[in-house]
Each structure stands twice: as C-alpha cells, then as structure tokens.
Amino acid sequence: ADAFSSIIRLGVRRIWQITHPEKRDVVLGLGAVGHALVRHLVSEGRLVTAVDQRVDASDRALADEVGLLIIQGDLSERRVLEMAFLHKAQNVYVACGSDETNIEIGALAASVLNDAQRRINGPGTVPSDAPETALHVHLSSTRLVADLGDARDLGFVRGKDFTPFSLKTGIARDLMIQARFVQRAADLRQPRVHIVLCGLGDHGEALLIECLLTAYAANIGAPRITVFDRDADHAQRRLAACYPTLVDDSLPEEARPDIRFVAKDLQTLDMENDADLDAMDSSEAPPTAYVFACGDDLVNLSAGLRLEMAMQRLRRRAVPIHVRLWDRVIGPGDLAEEDPLSLLRTFGNARQTAARLLSEAPATEALARDLHKTYLAPRRDGEIASAARARMDKDWANLPEHARRSNFLSLIHI
C-alpha cells in the first residue's frame, strides 16, 4: 500500500508540474549547488523537478521536506532529459559536476529543447533567440564564464544556447559588501587596501578581481594583495597569462596594483613565528584583512582559527579574518549570529548567494537593457560618433556579449 501510494503521489506531482510550466523549474544535478538552487526555488513557490544519476538519503529527505520531484537517470542520455520535459519549464539549471561536464550537459539540454520546439512549431522551425525556457549552466571557473561570453560572439556552438553563471563570483561580490575592505582601510588610515589572500584557485581569483574592482570604484589607491599559495610560481604564471595587464607595465604607476606571491602551505604555516607575517605586520602597509579561500574548507577553517589565536595572544596585528566554507550548510540567519567580538568571519554560503543571484537576475537584465537604450538615445546636433561607439550602436539582441557584460558590471557596482 505504501509503495502504491508513493507511485500515485509521484505521478500526480509530475502531472501537476507539467500542466503548470509557468511555475516550473528543472535542476540537473543534486550536488551542493543543486541543493542550494532547489531550496531557494521552492522557497519562492516554484514547482521543481531535479534529475541526477545518484540519489542518496539526503536527496530523498530534501524531496520529502520541500515537495521535490526527483527523476533518477544518467544526465548524458537524451532519453533521461526528455523524461524531465525540459520544454515544460520556465528555467533549466545545469549544476551536475565539473565545468566540462556542465557544458556538455548544457549543450545536450539545448538540443533537447530545440527538438521539442521544432516538434511543437513545425519541422522547419528555427530555434528562437528568446526561447520560452531559459537555460542556465553553472561554472566554477570564473574566467571560463567570461571566456564563454566572448566566444559566443565568435560563434562558439556550445556556448550560444545557454547562459553561464557562477556562484563563486557572486560569493566574491557578497564578501566585498560584507567585509567593507575600503572602509576598514580608511578606519586604519591606510592609503590603500592590503589583502592577504590565502589560496589562488578559481575562488581566490574571483576574490582578487572583485577586490581590485571595488578598490578602483572607491577611488582610492591601487590595492596591495599578498597571495599565499603552496605553488606560488604556478599561481603567478597563471594570473599573468589570464590578466597580463595586472602584472606588466601597461597600467599607469598610480593605478598598478601591488600583487606579491609567497610560497606558503596553510597546513604547516606557523602563524606566530613566521618571518613573512612579521615583516608584513611591521611594514608601512600592514594587512587590512586576511581571506582564506583554498580548495579545502577544513584547511581554511584550521588556518583561520590558528591565526585568530595568534592575534588574541598579541603575536599578530589584530585584523578581520574571512574564511570560506563552501560546503557548509548554513541557515538563513547563521552568519548574523556569529560572535561580534570574534575576528573570524565565515563566508561562502551557496544557498544565500544562489537566492540573491536568482532573485536579482530578471531585474538586472531589465535594467541592463534600459541602460543600453539610454546609450542609444539621440545625440546632440553635430555630435559625431567615434568608431568604437559606432560599433555599439545596435539593439540589445545584436549587441556583442562583452558589451552586454559591461552593462551588467556597471549595474552591479552601482
């Protein structure tokens, strides 16, 4: 009887979702990002279907808790995606593994959506530029998000049918607001922000770029960033290859950031007796804050706690410590309940960041279009457009991807 009632309940839930596509979303993948997306979407009253190859006890508990419909199957099989009725959803989110896997599944999902559109509208139908179902693909590499956007202008097939997004970029922006590095430097009467960034993976790189953008937007001196990484030489070469203007002499001296790389292993770093830490504390530009963002949450937390104890023992200059905990399950008010006297703060709540990104996306899209409309407004009589501006005198649908991204970045910083 229990098994029969379960089958009936799932069948009714599936029929109900398919008949209400305007309220339905599909999440492909039930990892940490997938769980964060599901919880936010359900809290907004959405009807959610999740698809994953492996369904464990935590996934079933989530389904029972929020009324989630789960389909178990291999996401690389077209048949499984067709069973999820992707075209009967308003949004499809892909967050099922590595960036390469997400791009492949995103391309397959786009193909399934295009085939469904042709079946509905006719065999000769060309896929619409504004489809009824929006396809979003999560990428961990913040640089890849930007590269895909530029590649779409060049006709990259696998990137033109979906919109990439990154929770790590959103988390980096949230930290800039929460930590208030610029205000902290002003309180300490420092001429510029000095961040000690421990770990330069994908997340560390996003934090470094957002720190630079925030400092420039605040119209203060170019920041100093000291990078601690176990393989400092590799991290320096990687940054130089991706952002050459940050390390060469192309920027004016007053706008050139001071980025230094130091080889350090966070697991063995002696927070009380390290010579490099001593030199930074006694320099003319001591640290404004420490940010721990290596790939291992336990290493981040352990190193952050050791540093805080060194500060409490007056062996280190007392400044804020921000520790990234990517896999930590945090409640909505958990961050606000941390001890206000503690120097250590955690960040990286995927659920809260997903909620903010998803809720702000429609408004940001509309504002970006309005911003471009203002740009296209009639000019003064006699004004001659430059060659660069003439290339941007296009409507939003025909605007290059890098120009669209410029509008989004302007709005984010505003």
Side-chain angles (χ1 to χ4, degrees):
D2 289 341
F4 183 74
S5 63
S6 176
I7 293 173
I8 294 296
R9 185 169 62 253
L10 291 176
V12 170
R13 188 178 295 172
R14 174 178 290 192
I15 293 173
W16 178 259
Q17 288 198 8
I18 292 174
T19 55
H20 292 78
E22 73 284 353
K23 297 179 60 179
R24 180 172 182 257
D25 296 321
V26 178
V27 177
L28 304 180
L30 274 175
V33 177
H35 273 246
L37 293 171
V38 166
R39 287 187 177 277
H40 168 70
L41 293 172
V42 171
S43 69
E44 294 292 314
R46 307 291 296 176
L47 303 174
V48 183
T49 298
V51 187
D52 205 341
Q53 184 174 3
R54 298 180 181 86
V55 179
D56 56 22
S58 64
D59 299 331
R60 296 188 181 92
L62 178 64
D64 294 336
E65 177 186 350
V66 302
L68 173 69
L69 175 63
I70 296 181
I71 297 176
Q72 187 170 0
D74 189 348
L75 290 168
S76 63
E77 295 184 6
R78 175 180 290 269
R79 174 184 59 84
V80 174
L81 298 186
E82 291 173 347
M83 287 173 53
F85 290 92
L86 301 185
H87 63 289
K88 294 287 188 178
Q90 193 171 40
N91 296 284
V92 176
Y93 300 94
V94 181
C96 52
S98 65
D99 289 352
E100 180 182 5
T101 301
N102 286 341
I103 291 175
E104 292 295 331
I105 301 302
L108 180 59
S111 175
V112 172
L113 286 170
N114 291 336
D115 288 347
Q117 186 177 352
R118 292 190 184 95
R119 287 197 304 269
I120 296 172
N121 299 330
T125 304
V126 177
S128 172
D129 292 332
E132 296 181 1
T133 302
L135 181 58
H136 312 270
V137 174
H138 178 263
L139 299 176
S140 294
S141 173
T142 55
R143 193 184 328 114
L144 183 56
V145 175
D147 290 343
L148 268 180
D150 294 336
R152 284 198 294 191
D153 293 336
L154 303 176
F156 179 60
V157 176
R158 293 185 183 275
K160 67 183 181 63
D161 292 324
F162 57 77
T163 302
F165 71 102
S166 173
L167 289 188
K168 292 184 177 180
T169 300
I171 286 173
R173 291 171 183 158
D174 287 347
L175 178 63
M176 296 303 115
I177 298 171
Q178 171 191 338
R180 303 176 65 195
F181 292 138
V182 173
Q183 184 62 44
R184 176 67 182 173
D187 292 342
L188 296 174
R189 297 186 178 180
Q190 294 178 343
R192 58 181 176 177
V193 174
H194 180 188
I195 303 299
V196 180
L197 180 59
C198 303
L200 196 68
D202 290 327
H203 213 159
E205 186 178 297
L207 291 164
L208 185 147
I209 297 301
E210 289 301 322
C211 182
L212 294 177
L213 292 174
T214 303
Y216 288 134
N219 199 24
I220 63 173
R224 172 179 291 179
I225 300 177
T226 301
V227 177
F228 286 175
D229 197 276
R230 186 161 47 188
D231 192 349
D233 291 338
H234 174 75
Q236 186 172 7
R237 291 194 301 269
R238 173 183 170 185
L239 187 70
C242 300
Y243 305 97
T245 56
L246 295 180
V247 296
D248 58 23
D249 297 332
S250 57
L251 289 175
E253 186 176 355
E254 64 274 9
R256 195 178 307 152
D258 182 6
I259 304 176
R260 304 179 181 183
F261 292 83
V262 183
K264 296 290 180 186
D265 188 342
L266 296 182
Q267 292 180 298
T268 59
L269 179 59
D270 185 352
M271 297 297 181
E272 296 190 6
N273 303 300
D274 185 79
D276 292 313
L277 294 177
D278 290 338
M280 286 194 303
D281 279 346
S282 59
S283 67
E284 77 284 355
T288 306
Y290 289 82
V291 179
F292 291 88
C294 81
D296 191 323
D297 285 354
L298 292 179
V299 173
N300 288 331
L301 184 58
S302 175
L305 291 172
R306 296 201 315 274
L307 178 59
E308 183 180 29
M309 286 188 286
M311 292 178 180
Q312 298 289 359
R313 294 169 183 161
L314 304 181
R315 300 300 301 271
R316 286 282 157 259
R317 181 186 292 267
V319 296
I321 304 168
H322 301 276
V323 175
R324 190 214 72 165
L325 297 181
W326 175 254
D327 291 329
R328 181 184 176 197
V329 179
I330 308 177
D334 196 9
L335 291 178
E337 295 174 2
E338 291 181 337
D339 184 359
L341 298 179
S342 173
L343 295 170
L344 189 144
R345 292 286 183 272
T346 59
F347 71 97
N349 184 355
R351 179 181 174 186
Q352 292 178 359
T353 305
R356 186 184 62 76
L357 288 178
L358 297 185
S359 60
E360 289 180 0
T364 306
E365 172 84 16
L367 286 171
R369 291 173 180 268
D370 290 342
L371 186 64
H372 186 61
K373 286 180 182 178
T374 305
Y375 174 85
L376 294 177
R379 303 184 180 89
R380 295 188 300 272
D381 293 338
E383 181 180 355
I384 300 176
S386 64
R389 176 157 188 165
R391 289 196 298 270
M392 301 304 163
D393 286 353
K394 303 175 181 178
D395 57 23
W396 183 263
N398 297 314
L399 198 65
E401 187 65 26
H402 72 273
R404 293 190 189 186
R405 193 163 63 249
S406 296
N407 286 291
F408 281 112
L409 288 174
S410 299
L411 288 166
I412 287 168
H413 283 285
I414 290 171

